Amino acid sequence: MIILSLIVIFILLFFYSMWRSGRLPSMTPIDFINSKADNKNIVVCCGDSITHGRIGYDWVESLRKKNNNFSIINAGINGDLAWNLLERLDDIIDCSPDYITILIGTNDAMGSQTKELGEDYKKRKQLPQLPDIDWFENNYDSIISRLKKHTNAKIGIISLPWIGEQTDSDIMKIVNNYNQIIINLTKKYDLTLIPLFDSLSDLIKNSESEPYRIDGARYRRIIRANFLYYVFGISWENIGKKYGLKSMCDHIHLNEPAGKRLEDLVYDFIRT
């Protein structure tokens, strides 16, 4: 009976941690549109789970709490690719932002690594095709083009963070290729590049972490991180130490030191 009770408790805690990690962030575009407008400068932070902030350090929420003179909106959605962000741009445009940051492409990079991963993303995120680098470039170009056409916002493009911390890994070669596209688009549209990748490179140097994996361990590491953080209150930084990570909790999502670097970079962007 005791064992059964412990199993039930564990299952409940597991689903609780998954629920917490999937909740919408504070102040989404819809929340802002439905709220009473104010005279503050409006900042919309667009992206995936790294911006969403329920898995890993919530840099957008921290930025909001420290900067009351800005209305900071979280337009990050777990698992999104560039195509998903493009599909929901109307709500972002309707916020009439003064500043926009874009951090998108980590899921595109991971989804393009193998056909199996691509099929998984296509199913879960209802994509019209398998992810690949050319499709990413077209979608990202369309995102920037629409935002420039329909807003007067100053746009900051954030380079992709590392995936895992091994310089010569297959996934990092993909990340570097995607980041080159981001750099090229930043130049094409004369936008501001926010150099997250370079900032994390300084933090990660000499890392001896376990490698990023594309098998079931990828999801297990995320689930483990959520469970330890939401059930036991262990910091994202300490969760990642099991794998020898310096900047992440699960080889994908940022821990506190890395997230604060991103927060500072975005703050520098919006205050200039």
Side-chain angles (χ1 to χ4, degrees):
M1 188 67 177
I2 294 177
I3 294 176
L4 180 60
S5 297
L6 290 174
I7 292 172
V8 170
I9 291 171
F10 176 83
I11 292 172
L12 291 174
L13 291 175
F14 168 78
F15 281 106
Y16 168 76
S17 68
M18 296 301 292
W19 170 74
R20 287 290 301 272
S21 66
R23 291 175 61 209
L24 288 176
S26 302
M27 192 54 70
T28 66
I30 294 297
D31 292 335
F32 179 78
I33 292 167
N34 292 335
S35 67
K36 186 176 180 179
D38 54 38
N39 295 320
K40 297 178 182 180
N41 286 321
I42 299 168
V43 182
V44 180
C45 301
C46 308
D48 49 34
S49 57
I50 296 172
T51 300
H52 187 118
R54 298 301 190 190
I55 310 171
Y57 181 71
D58 191 349
W59 62 272
V60 179
E61 183 67 16
S62 179
L63 188 67
R64 180 187 299 114
K65 290 178 179 178
K66 295 176 183 176
N67 296 279
N68 293 326
N69 52 330
F70 292 95
S71 291
I72 299 178
I73 300 164
N74 192 323
I77 296 293
N78 288 347
D80 265 12
L81 289 78
W83 180 83
N84 300 109
L85 177 57
L86 178 62
E87 289 292 293
R88 55 185 176 87
L89 278 189
D90 286 347
D91 289 340
I92 293 165
I93 292 168
D94 288 345
C95 292
S96 300
D98 299 292
Y99 300 88
I100 296 171
T101 65
I102 306 173
L103 173 53
I104 198 74
T106 292
N107 291 297
D108 291 84
M110 292 189 296
S112 66
Q113 191 173 8
T114 69
K115 183 178 180 180
E116 182 180 5
L117 288 172
E119 292 286 1
D120 179 59
Y121 271 106
K122 183 180 179 183
K123 180 179 179 180
R124 287 192 297 110
K125 299 301 294 185
Q126 301 181 334
L127 307 177
Q129 68 166 73
L130 295 178
D132 65 49
I133 194 165
D134 293 331
W135 191 48
F136 167 76
E137 182 174 13
N138 291 336
N139 287 326
Y140 211 135
D141 193 299
S142 296
I143 289 168
I144 296 172
S145 178
R146 282 189 61 192
L147 290 175
K148 285 182 68 68
K149 181 178 180 180
H150 296 289
T151 77
N152 294 315
K154 180 180 178 182
I155 302 173
I157 306 298
I158 305 173
S159 56
L160 299 184
W162 290 56
I163 300 177
E165 295 181 353
Q166 296 188 330
T167 305
D168 298 327
S169 65
D170 290 340
I171 190 61
M172 283 306 302
K173 294 173 184 176
I174 295 173
V175 169
N176 288 333
N177 289 336
Y178 275 70
N179 267 335
Q180 189 57 57
I181 287 174
I182 289 170
I183 291 169
N184 293 342
L185 288 173
T186 302
K187 293 177 179 177
K188 174 181 176 180
Y189 287 99
D190 193 25
L191 304 177
T192 300
L193 179 66
I194 300 175
L196 175 60
F197 182 89
D198 290 344
S199 179
L200 295 185
S201 297
D202 179 62
L203 179 64
I204 289 169
K205 63 184 178 183
N206 301 321
S207 174
E208 297 180 354
S209 68
E210 295 181 21
Y212 166 80
R213 292 170 59 177
I214 61 174
D215 58 9
R218 186 168 74 104
Y219 291 111
R220 289 195 297 271
R221 287 169 173 174
I222 296 172
I223 292 169
R224 170 184 176 272
N226 291 335
F227 192 87
L228 293 178
Y229 182 82
Y230 287 111
V231 175
F232 295 105
I234 300 173
S235 71
W236 300 113
E237 182 179 14
N238 284 333
I239 290 169
K241 286 182 178 179
K242 169 182 170 62
Y243 312 111
L245 294 167
K246 294 184 176 182
S247 66
M248 300 165 231
C249 59
D250 56 6
H251 291 79
I252 301 170
H253 301 96
L254 304 181
N255 64 17
E256 289 85 356
K260 288 174 182 177
R261 287 192 177 215
L262 175 54
E263 179 184 341
D264 290 343
L265 287 169
V266 172
Y267 176 66
D268 289 342
F269 167 71
I270 64 176
R271 71 175 181 173
T272 56

